[in-house]
Amino acid sequence: MVEVWDSEGVRIISVLSRKGGVGKTLLSVGIAQVLGEAGFAVALLDRDPEGSAMGWQHNAEAGGVTLPYRVIGPIQAAQLGSGVDFLVIDTPPNDTRILRDTARQSNVLIVPLLPGAGEVDRVQETVAALGEAELVEGAKLGFILNRLDNDNVSASMPGVLEELGYPVVAHVRKAVGYQRAFGNLIPRDLTPPFEQALRELEVLA
Ligand SMILES: Nc1ncnc2c1ncn2[C@@H]1O[C@H](COP(=O)(O)OP(=O)(O)OP(=O)(O)O)[C@@H](O)[C@H]1O
Ligand SMILES: [Mg+2]
């Protein structure tokens, strides 16, 4: 169990899913970037042993790119202190323990979801795991539809989630620009969905 930080006034936004490859790291980075560009002090905690978010930062440093947030590991998170407005947390797939541990410390929980009936089935595992976590008072939960295409499956997703009662806070289209952004800033024309999610979740006005 990692008691991640102990600092007052830091708001914690986590990106969670039991399923792999749904866009947890991309959305974590996108949200950290938008908040950093809005002038907040942002740390992005990489709780995935695979270290994709860490890799993003290393790549940026190697390319001389300055990111408007810093990526940290669990040890640095434990010593976070004040001076950070937002802690965004990227989590690993297939790890219910880290998922629950992160969820119970989060003020805002974001679950990415890809188009497809199987994807909707799989997200129920995440919802069930979150249901067993004791959340902080006033915690907000939102779903982000990711990698939306111009097809019928993608078009049906908002309705399917509405029927399930899962609040969708943003739609992110499938775009090669997101893939190319690894280790870089996400281009401005691709960041509006992250801003939208943060407004829907009442993080940004
Ligand atoms: N909207 C999108 N359009 C195009 N490519 C995307 C999109 N979202 C994510 N990807 C790509 O899909 C792959 C998986 O995304 P990402 O690494 O963010 O998922 P993840 O949930 O963090 O995966 P893991 O569970 O392995 O940590 C990456 O190559 C990423 O660039
Ligand atoms: Mg990841």
Side-chain angles (χ1 to χ4, degrees):
M1 194 79 86
V2 179
E3 206 55 52
V4 187
W5 49 87
D6 192 16
S7 36
E8 295 205 359
V10 179
R11 276 174 289 172
I12 295 154
I13 303 175
S14 57
V15 183
L16 310 148
S17 172
R18 294 228 351 116
K19 184 150 190 302
V22 293
K24 292 179 292 296
T25 301
L26 176 75
L27 300 186
S28 301
V29 164
I31 281 161
Q33 179 177 323
V34 162
L35 289 171
E37 285 173 343
F40 294 104
V42 183
L44 167 51
L45 168 58
D46 191 349
R47 286 198 77 172
D48 187 348
E50 290 287 324
S52 314
M54 280 290 182
W56 194 300
Q57 174 161 270
H58 288 149
N59 232 39
E61 279 165 4
V65 175
T66 306
L67 301 173
Y69 53 89
R70 63 190 164 102
V71 183
I72 62 173
I75 294 169
Q76 291 159 293
Q79 307 158 347
L80 200 59
S82 53
V84 171
D85 301 311
F86 287 99
L87 182 66
V88 179
I89 308 181
D90 183 20
T91 58
N94 303 313
D95 192 322
T96 305
R97 189 187 60 82
I98 291 185
L99 187 142
R100 285 212 200 101
D101 185 42
T102 303
R104 71 175 178 80
Q105 305 181 69
S106 303
N107 304 105
V108 175
L109 300 90
I110 293 172
V111 178
L113 175 61
L114 301 180
E119 301 292 331
V120 176
D121 285 346
R122 288 292 304 278
V123 86
Q124 322 259 8
E125 290 172 24
T126 300
V127 172
L130 291 178
E132 289 160 25
E134 205 172 303
L135 302 185
V136 304
E137 212 185 299
K140 289 192 158 64
L141 168 66
F143 294 76
I144 294 185
L145 288 171
N146 187 29
R147 292 188 86 140
L148 290 170
D149 223 330
N150 292 320
D151 57 21
N152 290 339
V153 176
S154 288
S156 71
M157 287 300 285
V160 170
L161 291 207
E162 196 182 341
E163 248 168 60
L164 286 167
Y166 294 174
V168 175
V169 294
H171 298 182
V172 178
R173 67 190 165 87
K174 181 175 167 185
V176 71
Y178 288 118
Q179 268 154 296
R180 292 201 185 120
F182 181 80
N184 222 315
L185 283 168
I186 298 171
R188 191 161 296 279
D189 62 316
L190 295 178
T191 58
F194 309 127
E195 290 165 18
Q196 166 76 12
L198 291 169
R199 278 195 299 270
E200 289 286 329
L201 291 160
E202 293 173 12
V203 175
L204 291 178

